[in-house]
Amino acid sequence: MDLTEQQRKMLEGECGEGAALAMKIQVAIGRSFGAKRMVPITRAHVALSNQEADLWFAEKLLSAGAKCKVQPTVNPGFSLAYFEKAASLPDEARSLMQRTHNAYKELGAVLSYNCTPYLGSNIPRFGEIAAFSESSATPFVNSVWGARSNRESAQSALCAAVTGFVPEYGLLLDENRLGNILVEVKADMKSDFEYQLLGYMGKKIGTGVPVFTGLPENISQEALMNLGAQLNTSGAYGMFHVVGVTPEARTLEQAFGGKKPLRKVVITNDDLRDILNVISEPGMRKIDFAMFGCPHFTLKQVQEIAGMVRGKKLAVEMWILTSSYVREMADRMGLLKIINDAGGHVVEDTCCDQPCWPHLNGKTGVTESPKCAYYTRRRGMSFVVRDLRTCVEAALKGEVE
Ligand code: F3S
C-alpha cells in the first residue's frame, strides 16, 4: 500500500506508540482488502460495547499513549447515574462501565453514549469520508446522507479516530456502492414497524447491496433507521439503496449503475408475518415489562408514547432508551413528566444489551425492535415483538395480544 510520508512516520512511531499501533492495524486491514492507499477522515463513531474485550483494546491503545485526532462519538453503555440507584446493579457491572468511561474520556472521545449519532450529534455531509461502526449508523450515513464509510468494527473505527485515516477500499469506492440485488417490496408498509420486519429479511435478501423498490414516498427517518438496524441484525449490510431517498439512487438505473441486478427478491406480507413468528415469542400472554429504543428512540417516538400513556397508569415497567439530547428535549416539553407519572422510565446513555438489567433476567417483555429481542437473549430476557401501539397497550394492560 502507498503511504504518504506522514502516514509512514506514524507507522514507524514518530507520532507515538499508540498511533503506530492503530496505524499498523489499519494497514493490515487495508492490505487484506487490497487497498492502495489511506485517505483522511473527518468523522468517526465508535460502537463501544462496554464489554471486557472492547475495553481491553481501548485500554491497550491508551496505555500506548494514543489520543483521538478525530474525536469520535460513542455508542451507549449504561447510565451509571441512573442505575447506581438500583440496588440490583452488580459491582462488576458498575466497575466495567466506570472503566469504559474513563478509557474513552482519556482517549478524547465525545462521550455521547448514543447509537443514533447520525440523527443529531454526528451527521456527515454527502461524500464525506468517515469511519462509522454501529449496525444502524453505517448504513444510514451511506444510504441516507450519501457519506462514505465502511462497516467498521468498534476497534477499527477507534484506530481511524486515532490516526485520522482509513484504508481506501469497499464502500469508499464508487464501484462498490452500486446496488446489485433488486428487492421488490410488495408488502403493505403501513408503519415504521414493517421496516423492522423488512430489515430482518437478511437471509432471504442475501449478500450484496440491496436496492429497495415499492416503498411508499415520504418514508420516515425512523423507518430508515429501523431498516438499517435490522438488516445488520439478520445479516451484514454497509449500504442499501431506496430509490428516491438514497442520494446515489435518484432512479433505479442510477442505483444499479446501468447494470443488471445479480438477483431479484420479492418481499410479501406473508414474508413479514413469517419472520415475525421467528423472532417473537408467541403472544396472548401476560408480560413483565416493555422496552423501547433499540436503536435509541427519536423525540417523535418518545412523543408518540407520551400521547398514549398520558393520564394513565402502566401495569408493568416501561423502559424507553434514548440520547441525552432527546431526553432533555422530552423533559423541557413535559413529555418526561407524562411518562414518569404513568410509571415509565426514559433513560439516556443506555443500551438494552448491557449488564444493568439483572432484574429482567428470566422475564418476558414487549418491544417493537427485533434487534432488542435478539441481543437480549444472552441477558436472559425474552420478548413478544409487536408494533409500537400494540406494545404500549400491552404495557398498560400487563398482557399482549
Ligand atoms: Fe443501540 Fe444497543 Fe440496540 S447500541 S441499537 S440499544 S443493541
Side-chain angles (χ1 to χ4, degrees):
M1 198 185 338
D2 286 338
L3 297 182
T4 62
E5 198 183 338
Q6 183 197 9
Q7 291 162 351
R8 193 179 43 73
K9 282 183 175 170
M10 200 182 274
L11 183 63
E12 288 166 359
E14 282 195 30
C15 306
E17 212 187 304
L21 175 59
M23 184 57 105
K24 189 175 164 192
I25 292 167
Q26 288 189 287
V27 167
I29 294 171
R31 285 200 179 122
S32 67
F33 282 98
K36 294 201 171 65
R37 59 177 188 161
M38 304 279 290
V39 289
I41 57 158
T42 40
R43 292 179 182 279
H45 176 76
V46 175
L48 67 77
S49 62
N50 187 38
Q51 292 171 33
E52 281 294 348
D54 174 71
L55 182 57
W56 173 83
F57 186 74
E59 286 179 339
K60 187 174 174 68
L61 279 181
L62 193 60
S63 63
K67 197 89 186 162
C68 293
K69 206 166 145 196
V70 174
Q71 285 190 289
T73 46
V74 295
N75 251 26
F78 66 87
S79 166
L80 265 178
Y82 208 96
F83 287 92
E84 241 168 7
K85 288 181 225 143
S88 58
L89 185 65
D91 283 346
E92 55 288 10
R94 182 181 292 111
S95 139
L96 186 67
M97 189 64 239
Q98 191 62 61
R99 280 171 59 212
T100 296
H101 179 83
N102 296 347
Y104 280 88
K105 186 176 168 193
E106 284 304 305
L107 283 164
V110 176
L111 299 174
S112 51
Y113 294 131
N114 163 232
C115 49
T116 57
Y118 49 85
L119 294 179
S121 54
N122 201 353
I123 306 176
R125 63 175 163 72
F126 178 80
E128 196 171 345
I129 297 174
F132 269 53
S133 48
E134 164 51 37
S135 58
S136 72
T138 313
F140 202 99
V141 300
N142 279 310
S143 316
V144 181
W145 299 140
R148 295 186 172 216
S149 172
N150 277 313
R151 196 168 166 269
E152 303 285 354
S153 66
Q155 289 68 38
S156 65
L158 182 56
C159 288
V162 168
T163 63
F165 297 101
V166 281
E168 191 181 42
Y169 70 94
L171 292 173
L172 269 47
L173 301 170
D174 288 347
E175 61 270 26
N176 299 323
R177 298 177 64 81
L178 293 173
N180 51 21
I181 312 165
L182 175 61
V183 183
E184 260 184 37
V185 180
K186 295 200 168 160
D188 300 319
M189 306 303 284
K190 299 186 293 275
S191 70
D192 295 342
F193 180 62
E194 279 72 32
Y195 293 83
Q196 308 265 33
L197 303 179
L198 178 62
Y200 217 75
M201 298 300 308
K203 248 191 193 158
K204 182 162 183 183
I205 293 168
T207 308
V209 179
V211 178
F212 292 95
T213 63
L215 298 178
E217 282 179 15
N218 301 325
I219 181 169
S220 72
Q221 275 194 338
E222 288 76 9
L224 292 162
M225 171 178 94
N226 292 345
L227 181 60
Q230 308 308 338
L231 277 170
N232 278 327
T233 307
S234 65
Y237 299 87
M239 182 166 183
F240 58 80
H241 293 259
V242 174
V243 176
V245 171
T246 304
E248 290 147 281
R250 290 289 155 218
T251 62
L252 196 57
E253 201 195 6
Q254 191 190 9
F256 287 109
K259 295 184 190 148
K260 278 207 158 141
L262 295 176
R263 62 183 177 278
K264 177 173 136 181
V265 178
V266 178
I267 307 288
T268 63
N269 285 331
D270 287 349
D271 289 317
L272 300 194
R273 195 195 52 233
D274 292 348
I275 203 72
L276 180 60
N277 289 335
V278 170
I279 54 175
S280 174
E281 293 293 322
M284 308 299 283
R285 57 171 295 158
K286 289 207 176 301
I287 51 152
D288 304 306
F289 69 102
M291 189 173 283
F292 308 116
C294 173
H296 275 177
F297 258 21
T298 63
L299 186 60
K300 187 177 130 191
Q301 290 170 309
V302 174
Q303 201 155 15
E304 206 176 326
I305 293 185
M308 286 186 265
V309 302
R310 181 192 290 269
K312 299 177 183 166
K313 283 282 173 215
L314 292 161
V316 295
E317 286 179 20
M318 178 191 280
W319 298 92
I320 303 167
L321 313 177
T322 190
S323 65
S324 51
Y325 167 78
V326 167
R327 189 175 188 275
E328 172 65 25
M329 288 304 115
D331 192 10
R332 290 185 195 182
M333 293 164 71
L335 308 172
L336 204 57
K337 182 166 182 339
I338 294 170
I339 293 169
N340 288 343
D341 285 352
H345 306 257
V346 181
V347 194
E348 61 193 358
D349 300 349
T350 301
C351 163
C352 58
D353 180 20
Q354 286 290 313
C356 57
W357 308 105
H359 74 290
L360 298 180
N361 193 332
K363 298 199 171 163
T364 302
V366 282
T367 182
E368 37 54 86
S369 165
K371 184 177 178 186
C372 175
Y374 177 80
Y375 279 106
T376 54
R377 279 179 197 155
R378 67 196 183 120
R379 309 268 175 202
M381 300 182 224
S382 55
F383 282 96
V384 177
V385 181
R386 293 288 184 267
D387 65 273
L388 185 59
R389 179 159 289 279
T390 306
C391 288
V392 175
E393 281 164 5
L396 286 166
K397 281 191 286 195
E399 57 187 48
V400 63
E401 287 165 19

